[in-house]
Amino acid sequence: MCLLTISPIRCLLLSCAVSLLITLNGCGKPPTTLERIHEQGVLHVITRNSPSTYFQDRNGDTGFEYELVKHFAKQLGVELKIDTADNIDQLFSLLGTQNGPVIAAAGLVASPDRLANARFSDPYLDVSSQVIYHQKNARPKQPKDLLGKSILALKGTIHEDNLKALQQDYPELSYAVSDQVESVDLLRMVDEEQIDLTVVNSNQVAMNQVYFPHIRVGFTLQDSHQLRWAIAADDDVSLLNEINRFLDNARQSGLLQRLTERYYGHVDTLGYVGAYSFARHLQQRLPHYETWFRNAAKEHAVDWRLLAAMGYQESHWLPTATSKTGVRGLMMLTQRTAKAMGVRDRLNPQQSIQGGARYIALLMKQLPVSIYEADRIWFALASYNVGMGHLEDARKLTAAEGLDPNKWLDVKMILPRLAQKQWYSKTRYGYARGGEPVHFVNNIRRYYDILTWVTQPQIEGTSLISGTTHVPGIEPGDSNSTPTDPAVVVP
Ligand code: BLG
C-alpha cells in the first residue's frame, strides 16, 4: 500500500520497481547453496567410515564428525544424508559432482593443493602429526631417527605431505603410503610390529590408544594443524558462512568440547595406565566371561556390553575381587543383594554375572516412571552402586534446588552432597559416599563406549597384511581367549 504523501504516478513507479525486484529475486537469480539445501530438505555429507569420523554402534550411526554434522542438519531443519568415500582422493573428487550441495566432513586439513578444488570452513579441532612406534623399540625422537625404518602412512593426507617435505632434508628417508587402510589399521600394524612406524593425527592416537597397548608417541612431526569441513570450490559462500556460524556456536555452547572429550578423551579419563590395562584385560580376561555376559544379558534384556562394562568397573573382570567394604566377586554384590538375587557363591563368576544382570534389570523396572527414558540406565547404575534409597534422597535434593530430578546431568551434580552433613542431615537415608556412584557411572559409560566400538560388527578398513577384518584388542586365535561369538571375533 502507498503512503498518501506519494503521488499516484510515483506510487505506480514504486510498485513496479518493487515487483521488478521480486521478479529478479524470485526467478532471475539462482538460489544460493544454502537455499538449495533448504529447498531439497537434505544436508548431504560425505565422510569416511572410521572410528574418528563415522561408524555404527549399538544405537546406529555415530562418530565425531557424524555427531557434529547431525547437529548442523538439525539446526538447518533438514534431513541428514551420509555417504562414505573409500579414500581421501575419492572424497574430494565427489565434491561438486553430486546432484546438489555437499559437505565433506572427515577430519580434513586445508593443504595448499586442495584449495583449488575445495573451500574450507573455520577449524573445529586442533591436532598434530605424531610419529608412532612400538614400545619395545627405541623411541624415535627426531626426524633422523626415521631413517632405515619401515614407515607406512595414509595416502593423500598431510602426513604424506610432511614425509615428502622431510625427504628434501633427508633424501635417504623412505616411506610407503596406502589408500587401502585407515589410520586405525596403521596403529594396529605398529602394535603388531608389522611396520616400524606410522604418522597419524593426535586425535586418532587419543581415540585408539586404548585398543593398542603397545603403541607410543615418538615425537610430533608437525605441531598444529586444524581440521575443517570442505565444500566444492565453486559453491558460493552462503553455506560456508552458515557452517562457520554453526561451528562458532558449537564452540561457545560447549558442544565441540563434549564431543572431543567423548571421542578423544579415553586416555585423559582413564589415564595412560588405565587405558593400557583396559586394552590388555580386553584381550586376556574378557573372553573368559563373555559367553556368560551375553547369556545373562539376553535373559534379562540388557545390553551384554553394559554388563561387561559394569563388571570391568567393579572388579576389572576378576572373580575374586574384594572391596574395602567386603563386597565381593566379579559384579561386586553385597551379601544382602546376592541373597536376594539367588546367588549362593559370590566368587563364582557365572553366578555373580547372573546376579548382577538380574539386579540391574530389576532396578530399571523399579525406577520412577518420570525418569527420562534415555537417562534410566544411568539412574539404574547409580542405584546399583549406592542403593535406591540414597538415589531417591539425591533426587529430592535435586528438586529442592530447582533442578530436574528426572535428568541424570542434574542429579549427578547433587549426589556428592550426600557426603556432606549440611545436606545429608536433611535426607531420609542420611550419609552416603555420593561421589562414588557419579564416578561409577562415568567410568561405566566410558567402558561401554569402548566396548561397543570394539565389538561393532563391521569396523572400517580391512587388514592390509592378513586380509581379514580386524577387531582391535581381541585377537583371533589368542591362546588366552575363548571367544565364542562372531560379533567379537570377526572371521
Ligand atoms: C551396593 C549394592 C546395593 C546397595 C548399595 O551397595 O554395593 N549393590 C550390589 O550389591 C550390586 O544393593 O543398595 S541397598 O541394597 O539399597 O542398600 C548400598 O548399600 C557395590 C556396592 C557398594 C560398592 N560396590 C556395587 O557397586 C562398594 O563396594 N564400594 C566400596 C568401594 S571401596 O572398596 O571402598 O573403594
Side-chain angles (χ1 to χ4, degrees), residues 314 323-325 332 334 336-337 359 384-385 387 433 436:
E314 293 288 15
S323 84
K324 287 180 209 143
T325 48
M332 284 285 171
T334 59
R336 208 171 73 136
T337 305
Y359 190 45
Y384 186 99
N385 179 256
R433 298 198 318 186
E436 191 179 315

Side-chain angles (χ1 to χ4, degrees), residues 9-25:
I9 294 283
R10 277 179 137 194
C11 184
L12 192 65
L13 283 176
L14 195 65
S15 53
C16 283
V18 168
S19 41
L20 187 68
L21 262 179
I22 291 170
T23 314
L24 274 179
N25 207 31

Side-chain angles (χ1 to χ4, degrees), residues 290 294 304 454-457 471 485-490:
E290 191 194 318
R294 284 179 182 273
W304 80 268
V454 174
T455 59
Q456 63 171 315
V471 177
D485 191 298
V488 169
V489 178
V490 181

